[in-house]
Amino acid sequence: MKSFLLVPKESIETQAKPGVRGTAQGERVLSRSTALRFSAAQKAPDALTALGLRSATLPGMKPEVSGQAQRGRKRARGKKVTDVDATPMPNAPVTEQAGTEAGSYRFMPLIGATMAHFYSQDAEAAARGELAAEFEFIPDVVPLSFPGPVSAGQTGPRNRGMSSLATREWPDESGVPLAHAQGIRGAGVMLGILDTGVDADHPEHASKTIQFRYVSLFPNSPHNPARDVRGFDPDGHGTHVCGIAAGVHHGVAPEVDLYAASVIESETIRTSLGRVAAGMEWLLHQFSRPENASRPAVVNLSLGFPLQPPPGISEADYLLNQRALQAMLRRLLDSNILPIVAAGNSGPDTVGYPAAFPEALAVGAVDFERNVATFSASGAVGRRVVPDVMGYGVNVYSSTERRCNNQAFYERMSGTSMAAPYVAGIAALYRCRAPDLTALEVRDLILANAIKLPRSANHRTGKGLAVFR
């Protein structure tokens, strides 16, 4: 089986065609449901349907699986059947449960793409013949993951606490205490998190309703559907990120409405372009509901591509994956959503993606004394300098997991993955105070109000430390 993200060539290179915005300059309050239009996008699902691929766009009855009917007939005749494929062998790779059709696809209109799985080379060749002139076929082969482990000495102790702190740690200079004193706590703002998940029953999050989607290993297959369930987190990373941005006791913006999609596995801390696309489409779908379509929104992504093409992956495929992710970030901005991403933990003179995309607000890490973390990634790609801004990302105390007896854990963790949700919380405070500001205006406000940091011999620090003023 091969998987491809089919993206119209017109959309991977250009801005979306805007819908009705009311004025020549564009409405301050943008209705996302009319924001994006790609003339070629619908052609992909139509062509794939005609070629015999099954749509996973809408829920429905599961199709018959190869061999299922034959096994059923054998059992009906009373013969004992040993199904060697029913139980996978230990350490066997996880594979998609494929159907009898030529393949499957999921149309994602809000990001203007279609994810297609082909179960045979003939089906793939036929699809290329129909669509290659107008669509990029982007192979879903380059893994994404959240930034790697940080340098020794700046990680902080694990499992340090089993209760919340008496007060939030955010220094007065951050502006967070002032914002909260003024009643600015993120109310009315939607915050999307793409990560390992969130423990919705942790004391840091249990008092609010969290919209949550688990995006499966094969999210675009009708046989392995994504699910909206009670929020869970097999790793703890996503729960920590959510606690920093939106936790009741520790969060920068504790009153935001939280939308979390689990797109990263705990064992490998890796994900795929298809899973990120499915998670982002779900976020846009939630944000575009009639009751949400004009509300301000922020999205936090603590994930990225490796700095170089992995072994066995061609540079051409690597660059195609990058361009597709960049197009998705562009869709967020087109929909008046500010994307905030972690710069990475590989140190100075390293620039990763998506942090290096101009559409992203890239965040590096400092400690609570404003010292730049040794692991904080920085660098330049052409005229693009990374990071744009810094956030607190060293030994940050936040929620992680619970024991089986329901005892909650809080831990100190370090990384630009911690700095990014701090800045996402700051962005939510600005959007709470002035919900009519556009995403780009909020970005400019964060950069203009940043506290300048001393020059560093090794690190770039962008505009400085993000704060609320």
Side-chain angles (χ1 to χ4, degrees):
M1 181 196 73
K2 289 186 178 181
S3 300
F4 297 89
L5 191 68
L6 276 57
V7 182
K9 292 179 179 179
E10 65 165 339
S11 71
I12 203 169
E13 298 290 355
T14 63
Q15 294 285 346
K17 295 179 175 64
V20 177
R21 298 193 184 189
T23 68
Q25 292 78 25
E27 286 286 359
R28 294 284 182 187
V29 180
L30 172 64
S31 178
R32 296 183 188 89
S33 59
T34 60
L36 306 181
R37 293 290 182 268
F38 299 103
S39 60
Q42 183 63 49
K43 294 181 180 180
D46 291 345
L48 296 175
T49 297
L51 292 172
L53 277 72
R54 180 180 173 85
S55 172
T57 304
L58 298 175
M61 296 290 291
K62 287 187 177 181
E64 184 178 284
V65 177
S66 300
Q68 192 176 64
Q70 182 180 3
R71 291 194 297 271
R73 286 193 296 271
K74 288 181 180 180
R75 292 188 181 96
R77 290 195 296 267
K79 294 183 179 179
K80 184 177 180 180
V81 178
T82 302
D83 188 355
V84 296
D85 296 324
T87 303
M89 296 295 291
N91 301 320
V94 179
T95 57
E96 182 190 355
Q97 183 184 26
T100 57
E101 62 274 356
S104 61
Y105 70 88
R106 181 178 295 274
F107 179 41
M108 296 178 281
L110 295 180
I111 61 172
T114 299
M115 195 73 197
H117 299 302
F118 299 105
Y119 302 153
S120 70
Q121 291 183 348
D122 291 342
E124 178 190 339
R128 286 184 179 276
E130 291 284 337
L131 298 169
E134 295 180 88
F135 288 81
E136 294 278 16
F137 277 64
I138 301 171
D140 191 11
V141 293
V142 181
L144 292 98
S145 66
F146 54 73
V150 302
S151 302
Q154 290 190 302
T155 60
R158 298 281 290 182
N159 291 343
R160 180 167 182 175
M162 290 186 286
S163 64
S164 60
L165 300 177
T167 59
R168 287 174 170 81
E169 282 191 308
W170 310 118
D172 288 342
E173 69 177 3
S174 70
V176 175
L178 175 63
H180 291 185
Q182 295 175 345
I184 302 169
R185 298 167 60 87
V189 179
M190 299 179 294
L191 175 61
I193 305 284
L194 294 178
D195 214 287
T196 60
V198 61
D199 181 356
D201 293 311
H202 193 286
E204 200 71 16
H205 309 288
S207 63
K208 63 171 66 179
T209 299
I210 299 175
Q211 300 299 324
F212 177 83
R213 166 157 286 200
Y214 171 69
V215 181
S216 69
L217 288 170
F218 308 101
N220 306 298
S221 166
H223 313 288
N224 304 88
R227 304 188 301 279
D228 291 340
V229 295
R230 182 74 175 169
F232 64 92
D233 182 4
D235 180 81
H237 186 276
T239 302
H240 200 271
V241 166
C242 289
I244 292 170
V248 172
H249 302 108
H250 293 96
V252 174
E255 293 183 6
V256 296
D257 289 331
L258 195 56
Y259 296 77
S262 175
V263 299
I264 304 175
E265 290 306 304
S266 59
E267 287 78 11
T268 63
I269 67 167
R270 290 185 176 182
T271 186
S272 65
L273 184 65
R275 295 180 76 186
V276 172
M280 200 171 293
E281 174 74 12
W282 175 78
L283 284 178
L284 281 170
H285 177 72
Q286 298 296 316
F287 293 171
S288 300
R289 291 182 179 277
E291 65 272 22
N292 294 336
S294 60
R295 294 173 61 194
V298 177
V299 168
N300 183 92
L301 296 94
S302 295
L303 52 83
F305 284 114
L307 298 178
Q308 300 294 331
I313 306 299
S314 70
E315 185 174 1
D317 286 347
Y318 176 76
L319 293 176
L320 274 176
N321 274 255
Q322 279 189 0
R323 291 169 63 205
L325 185 58
Q326 182 177 13
M328 293 181 207
L329 294 186
R330 199 177 297 137
R331 300 293 80 81
L332 294 179
L333 283 178
D334 290 336
S335 295
N336 198 25
I337 301 167
L338 180 63
I340 296 176
V341 305
N345 297 337
S346 49
D349 299 319
T350 61
V351 180
Y353 293 92
F357 296 141
E359 292 83 0
L361 181 65
V363 181
V366 298
D367 63 19
F368 288 110
E369 302 299 324
R370 298 194 203 172
N371 300 308
V372 181
T374 58
F375 56 78
S376 186
S378 63
V381 178
R383 296 183 179 180
R384 167 71 172 155
V385 176
V386 175
D388 296 294
V389 74
M390 310 297 282
Y392 299 114
V394 178
N395 293 343
V396 181
Y397 196 80
S398 184
S399 49
T400 50
E401 57 195 32
R402 288 173 299 139
R403 286 178 172 173
C404 58
N405 65 357
N406 211 30
Q407 175 65 63
F409 277 129
Y410 289 80
E411 301 179 14
R412 292 190 181 275
M413 297 173 66
S414 300
T416 56
S417 287
M418 285 64 251
Y422 162 78
V423 176
I426 294 292
L429 295 180
Y430 279 121
R431 301 213 80 167
C432 174
R433 184 177 67 183
D436 62 331
L437 293 180
T438 66
L440 290 177
E441 287 171 334
V442 173
R443 174 195 174 103
D444 291 343
L445 196 59
I446 292 172
L447 297 178
N449 287 334
I451 297 175
K452 294 187 181 300
L453 299 174
R455 284 184 175 272
S456 170
N458 299 318
H459 297 271
R460 296 173 186 264
T461 57
K463 296 294 184 179
L465 175 63
V467 298
F468 178 83
R469 290 180 176 175

